[in-house]
Amino acid sequence: MTEQNKALALGALDECISQYCDERRQAVDTFIERHFSLQESIDLQKKHFLADLLLNPLNALWSIPYLTLKKLIETSDKMGWTKPTPFLEKIPSGFKTRYQKEIENLIYRELLDADKEGALWRKLNDSPALQGYLDRNEFMVRDLIQLEVRKEIEKYSSSQTMISDLASSLATLGTGWIFFGDKSLSIGGLGDRIARKFARDKAASNFFLGEKLGKSFYGFFPPQPSRKDIYIATFIVGLGLTVVSLIVTTMSDPLRKRLGLHRKKLLSMIDGLEERLFLQLKKEIKSVKAA
């Protein structure tokens, strides 16, 4: 590729990316109206409710070992042992729900039209100034576009994950405060407290001097619940809090739509994608040696 052809290719690239991103911006309002209404959010969640019911507790269980591992790797990095640091990026902080994946796929396929034969690739492929370059670098360009699109969608999706995590945390704190006057209880702590309460109530109801005196007696000498009872109580608490979290996550989309937050985030995502595409694709074309 001569320097003149390279300059023409860079100009054509700028034009294609700008046109593509402008078209994607114009599609944002229609996309939001179609997929973030209350009914659409409920329908999407209903499809994945059972699977997501299992994933949320799994995320809660995973958070502790992940944060511990992250802290260990960060500490080793500060001490000069940097070899484990790259592995931190490969370890997921959590597991996406089916609902979140569905939203991501809708953004990928419908809003950004980013499949292998997507809108941006068609524009690039139709540009005479880019033909020679694309003929030799087709797979690299396709993969690069896919990579940058996925990165921006991941950044957008992280806000949804944050809402779900916040809802779960607030529900846990609220339950502990309302029922036990303690805002520091985890799901395991709530399960333990509930199991102990049930064990005390059960023992009090069978107290030989009556339930009222039994409650006083077992208030000083509380009976110990079985491990099985603690596990069952913890499971029920986790299940209940997960349902609350899923409901809040589902309801948050119509609310964010009404407040204009979805529009702002999606436009910001497209701005970020445009910047990344300009930077990465230009870098690749500039790296081609002149003929």
Side-chain angles (χ1 to χ4, degrees):
M1 181 181 284
T2 66
E3 289 300 327
Q4 183 179 4
N5 288 340
K6 189 180 292 188
L8 290 172
L10 290 170
L13 180 66
D14 279 355
E15 185 178 354
C16 289
I17 293 174
S18 294
Q19 287 178 359
Y20 165 75
C21 290
D22 285 343
E23 290 172 3
R24 298 305 97 203
R25 291 186 186 97
Q26 292 170 16
V28 164
D29 289 336
T30 303
F31 179 81
I32 291 172
E33 194 61 38
R34 183 180 297 125
H35 295 296
F36 293 123
S37 67
L38 178 59
Q39 189 58 52
E40 178 69 14
S41 297
I42 291 173
D43 289 343
L44 276 180
Q45 190 61 272
K46 280 165 63 178
K47 284 169 57 180
H48 307 299
F49 184 77
L50 290 177
D52 289 350
L53 207 58
L54 298 175
L55 273 174
N56 274 45
L58 186 61
N59 278 328
L61 291 172
W62 172 242
S63 63
I64 295 175
Y66 171 77
L67 291 173
T68 303
L69 186 60
K70 181 181 178 183
K71 190 67 177 177
L72 288 172
I73 291 176
E74 287 176 348
T75 302
S76 71
D77 185 74
K78 290 177 182 178
M79 293 175 67
W81 189 38
T82 60
K83 194 172 182 180
T85 304
F87 292 101
L88 189 59
E89 295 181 3
K90 300 178 182 179
I91 302 171
S93 58
F95 307 98
K96 291 179 185 175
T97 63
R98 296 286 183 88
Y99 180 85
Q100 291 168 336
K101 288 182 179 179
E102 182 87 14
I103 295 296
E104 286 187 2
N105 286 332
L106 287 169
I107 292 172
Y108 176 81
R109 294 193 314 267
E110 189 174 320
L111 178 60
L112 298 181
D113 189 6
D115 289 324
K116 291 287 187 181
E117 298 292 336
L120 179 57
W121 171 254
R122 294 195 297 270
K123 286 184 181 297
L124 297 175
N125 202 37
D126 289 342
S127 173
L130 290 165
Q131 284 298 319
Y133 175 76
L134 293 179
D135 288 343
R136 295 190 300 273
N137 300 278
E138 175 182 348
F139 295 109
M140 184 276 296
V141 173
R142 286 177 185 267
D143 290 343
L144 187 56
I145 291 172
Q146 299 279 306
L147 177 63
E148 299 308 325
V149 167
R150 290 295 186 189
K151 283 181 179 178
E152 287 302 318
I153 292 176
E154 282 283 340
K155 285 166 63 177
Y156 169 84
S157 185
S158 64
S159 65
Q160 186 71 36
T161 304
M162 191 168 18
I163 289 173
S164 179
D165 291 345
L166 181 61
S168 180
S169 298
L170 289 176
T172 304
L173 292 174
T175 302
W177 181 59
I178 291 169
F179 291 101
F180 302 107
D182 188 342
K183 292 181 284 187
S184 64
L185 292 175
S186 63
I187 292 177
L190 285 170
D192 182 73
R193 288 284 188 95
I194 290 171
R196 290 178 184 279
K197 185 178 184 306
F198 276 117
R200 188 166 58 250
D201 290 346
K202 184 178 179 181
S205 66
N206 296 321
F207 194 61
F208 71 101
L209 293 177
E211 185 174 351
K212 190 173 182 180
L213 287 174
K215 284 185 177 180
S216 299
F217 177 80
Y218 289 115
F220 289 103
F221 306 100
Q224 293 297 315
S226 66
R227 283 287 178 188
K228 179 182 176 182
D229 289 340
I230 293 174
Y231 291 148
I232 291 173
T234 302
F235 174 77
I236 292 172
V237 169
L239 194 64
L241 293 175
T242 297
V243 171
V244 171
S245 176
L246 292 177
I247 291 172
V248 170
T249 301
T250 304
M251 298 300 292
S252 72
D253 277 333
L255 179 61
R256 290 165 74 195
K257 171 193 169 187
R258 191 175 186 84
L259 295 174
L261 299 179
H262 270 310
R263 187 174 192 276
K264 184 178 179 180
K265 289 290 291 182
L266 288 171
L267 289 174
S268 176
M269 179 192 70
I270 294 171
D271 290 344
L273 177 60
E274 184 174 27
E275 185 177 335
R276 294 185 71 90
L277 289 171
F278 275 139
L279 181 66
Q280 298 301 326
L281 289 175
K282 277 186 173 182
K283 186 189 293 183
E284 290 299 329
I285 289 179
K286 285 179 180 178
S287 68
V288 177
K289 293 182 180 179

